[in-house]
Amino acid sequence: MKNSGIFIGFFLAGLSFLTTACLDEKFSTDPTHILSFSTEIVRFDTLFTGKGSTTLSFRVYNRNNDAVRIESVRLADADRSGFYINVDGEKGPDIGPIELQGKDSLYVFVEATIPPTEVDTPFVVRDSIVFRTNGKEQDVKLEAYGQNATVFQGGKFFTADTTLTAERPFLLYDSLIVASGATLTMTEGTTLYLHDKAFLRIDGRMVAQGSAERRVTLRGDRTDNLFSDLPYDYYSGQWGGIEFGPESYENVWDYVDMHGSSWGIRVDSGDVARPKLTLQHSIVHNAASHLISASHARINGYNCQLTNAGGALLNLTDCPSEWIQCTVSNLYSWDIISSAALTLTGYSPTDSLSTDEQPRLLLANCIVTSRSTLLSPSDIEGMNVMFDNCLFQVEGEDDENFVRCLWGEDPAFVSTGEDYIFDFRLTEESPARESGSTDYLTDTTLTDLYGQSRPTDGTPPDIGASNYTPLETAEE
């Protein structure tokens, strides 16, 4: 009992000391004792109007020895800007006073929901968070780009011919279905943002006609960053994909950029005598599973970039299919690549079919590379598959399926994934330069992926989707 009494006495004395110390905390009133901030400006990437942003944050420091009272923290233009703040657990737009101990800090969290406007082009919204301490005001700037969009929600069903244009982007939350007999046309510069798991199904026809300067773009709707220096737009699996149904024919993409999907492009079987899908000057990039899958369907590509997938780049079953002047390269880095870059089923000659209907695959003047297995099955002897004048990074030799090919050559792309940036254009030292065959130069292939003309004076074209152009000239 005696020892317990001594312990209680010490405890009460300590508690009294701590209480007195808290009551005697000294708060500086020196006007030079102000705050420091971890940033001068908080910037949001493009935000669709009416759609809430992710949360960004910064820290407020009291670098003085004494505590300070922050008299107020307020948004300067809260009624109009669309920004929201939370300071040390207290919601704005006007907060305070807040006590901040010496050598201590606190977090400020910022969100934004930009009000809709009548403006079609992106516009800047600015505000500031004003801190008043010891009679002095300091601020941290806020900035966001707002973008009005046409929103498709609850499932969109086109039963008649419909044209989407570039005046405003389109934001798709669920599904967009083009009915049999209807045509969806997308003009140059049109952008379709797709939410998580959103997809297109084309039972009618899709014509996407972009230009080298203004492509038609199909991408995910996340415009913020996965990490501070890594945009979500670089990431795969941001949305579903595109499916062309059994009765869909004569779909044409020209100067289209599709990237960041989960399951890429799927083409259902149909009449192999009729073209299902023709891709020209287009990019299909970064799918979480297969990039392009097709079965018993005529599908062709010219001057196209088919790159990066968690599965195959071309997963084809008995498809009459040709790919001329294309870059087919799987450098996928978000997960283990689960399939060969080219996964082929069937392709055996069939006596009952005409020559035009035979399942036949041709890749000519193409770059074909992969960080994983290149071809499945590895032995294609006797199959209607031909590679003519293609560049492979693996070692090999020509035979009846491989003609005039370059083996064991690094294509020397501009960028192969450093900081998750990929640029499949050719560098000056690329062995693909002037190594193609003029046999495949046609009106379609004379212009490369970027709208640059290939030589017409007898000089061999570069292998792949892009003809070499010095980077400075290309950027201009």
Side-chain angles (χ1 to χ4, degrees):
M1 288 294 293
K2 187 175 181 179
N3 288 340
S4 297
I6 293 173
F7 173 78
I8 293 170
F10 275 119
F11 175 77
L12 292 174
L15 182 61
S16 174
F17 172 78
L18 290 172
T19 304
T20 304
C22 291
L23 292 173
D24 290 342
E25 179 69 57
K26 181 180 179 182
F27 287 91
S28 172
T29 58
D30 186 339
T32 65
H33 287 179
I34 54 177
L35 307 171
S36 300
F37 308 100
S38 59
T39 185
E40 295 180 352
I41 184 168
V42 176
R43 285 191 175 94
F44 290 84
D45 293 309
T46 300
L47 302 177
F48 295 110
T49 57
K51 180 183 178 184
S53 72
T54 55
T55 301
L56 302 182
S57 66
F58 65 95
R59 293 181 73 175
V60 180
Y61 298 95
N62 176 15
R63 302 194 186 279
N64 306 293
N65 292 321
D66 296 330
V68 296
R69 281 193 178 92
I70 305 172
E71 298 156 32
S72 66
V73 182
R74 62 182 176 84
L75 279 168
D77 193 17
D79 292 339
R80 295 185 298 174
S81 67
F83 290 101
Y84 304 91
I85 59 172
N86 183 307
V87 184
D88 208 27
E90 187 174 352
K91 294 181 180 179
D94 202 336
I95 304 164
I98 299 171
E99 297 177 354
L100 186 57
Q101 304 302 313
K103 304 300 182 182
D104 201 355
S105 65
L106 58 81
Y107 277 96
V108 177
F109 299 94
V110 187
E111 296 178 358
T113 301
I114 306 302
T117 70
E118 298 301 317
V119 179
D120 290 332
T121 56
F123 56 94
V124 182
V125 178
R126 294 186 176 92
D127 202 344
S128 59
I129 307 175
V130 181
F131 297 80
R132 185 176 180 84
T133 311
N134 292 335
K136 296 288 187 180
E137 288 192 345
Q138 302 167 270
D139 66 14
V140 171
K141 307 295 185 185
L142 304 177
E143 182 179 278
Y145 282 88
Q147 173 66 69
N148 291 294
T150 300
V151 178
F152 295 148
Q153 196 162 6
K156 193 69 175 177
F157 196 66
F158 292 148
T159 58
D161 293 352
T162 303
T163 299
L164 305 184
T165 60
E167 278 73 20
R168 287 189 180 186
F170 296 85
L171 178 57
L172 177 64
Y173 276 98
D174 335 89
S175 60
L176 191 159
I177 298 173
V178 179
S180 179
T183 297
L184 170 64
T185 300
M186 303 178 75
T187 62
E188 63 174 352
T190 300
T191 300
L192 178 60
Y193 291 91
L194 296 101
H195 193 60
D196 180 39
K197 298 181 177 61
F199 66 93
L200 276 71
R201 179 178 172 86
I202 313 298
D203 290 319
R205 183 172 178 239
M206 179 179 180
V207 177
Q209 183 59 65
S211 66
E213 296 77 22
R214 303 176 66 209
R215 291 183 185 273
V216 171
T217 302
L218 308 167
R219 53 156 291 177
D221 69 340
R222 294 292 298 267
T223 59
D224 54 329
N225 285 1
L226 180 62
F227 302 113
S228 60
D229 58 349
L230 183 61
Y232 267 100
D233 195 36
Y234 291 2
Y235 198 60
S236 64
Q238 294 298 294
W239 55 286
I242 300 180
E243 183 174 3
F244 294 91
E247 300 303 317
S248 178
Y249 293 98
E250 297 172 355
N251 299 282
V252 178
W253 287 12
D254 198 3
Y255 292 106
V256 174
D257 179 356
M258 170 183 168
H259 61 271
S261 69
S262 293
W263 40 267
I265 297 173
R266 293 176 180 170
V267 183
D268 286 345
S269 60
D271 181 356
V272 296
R274 299 176 62 186
K276 273 280 205 176
L277 175 63
T278 301
L279 306 177
Q280 300 175 165
H281 311 101
S282 292
I283 297 168
V284 186
H285 175 70
N286 207 20
S289 57
H290 297 319
L291 194 75
I292 299 177
S293 299
S295 175
H296 300 86
R298 185 174 293 276
I299 173 173
N300 299 319
Y302 309 95
N303 300 298
C304 290
Q305 175 189 311
L306 313 178
T307 48
N308 291 14
L313 299 176
L314 290 175
N315 178 37
L316 305 178
T317 298
D318 281 337
C319 291
S321 182
E322 67 177 21
W323 302 87
I324 312 297
Q325 293 286 171
C326 292
T327 297
V328 184
S329 179
N330 200 356
L331 307 182
Y332 189 73
S333 53
W334 293 112
D335 203 347
I336 296 172
I337 301 172
S338 62
S339 301
L342 305 178
T343 302
L344 311 177
T345 304
Y347 284 102
S348 298
T350 304
D351 294 338
S352 61
L353 296 177
S354 66
T355 301
D356 190 52
E357 293 176 327
Q358 290 285 344
R360 177 177 179 270
L361 175 65
L362 169 66
L363 281 84
N365 283 4
C366 291
I367 294 173
V368 187
T369 68
S370 178
R371 284 179 175 156
S372 184
T373 307
L374 193 67
L375 187 62
S376 177
S378 57
D379 185 2
I380 58 173
E381 184 178 357
M383 296 173 62
N384 277 338
V385 176
M386 175 172 285
F387 298 87
D388 188 357
N389 228 106
C390 292
L391 181 150
F392 297 97
Q393 201 161 350
V394 298
E395 296 291 346
E397 58 184 22
D398 286 355
D399 57 24
E400 62 182 13
N401 298 107
F402 299 88
V403 179
R404 302 183 294 180
C405 291
L406 296 179
W407 296 95
E409 296 284 0
D410 185 337
F413 296 129
V414 170
S415 180
T416 56
E418 296 78 8
D419 297 324
Y420 296 97
I421 295 173
F422 294 90
D423 188 336
F424 292 92
R425 290 176 294 177
L426 304 178
T427 54
E428 186 175 5
E429 64 273 16
S430 173
R433 292 186 59 195
E434 298 185 3
S435 296
S437 170
T438 56
D439 296 347
Y440 295 99
L441 290 182
T442 65
D443 291 343
T444 301
T445 58
L446 274 175
T447 304
D448 78 355
L449 174 64
Y450 296 98
Q452 303 296 318
S453 297
R454 299 187 189 276
T456 57
D457 60 359
T459 302
D462 296 350
I463 295 177
S466 63
N467 219 53
Y468 170 73
T469 305
L471 286 181
E472 297 80 4
T473 304
E475 294 304 324
E476 289 175 7

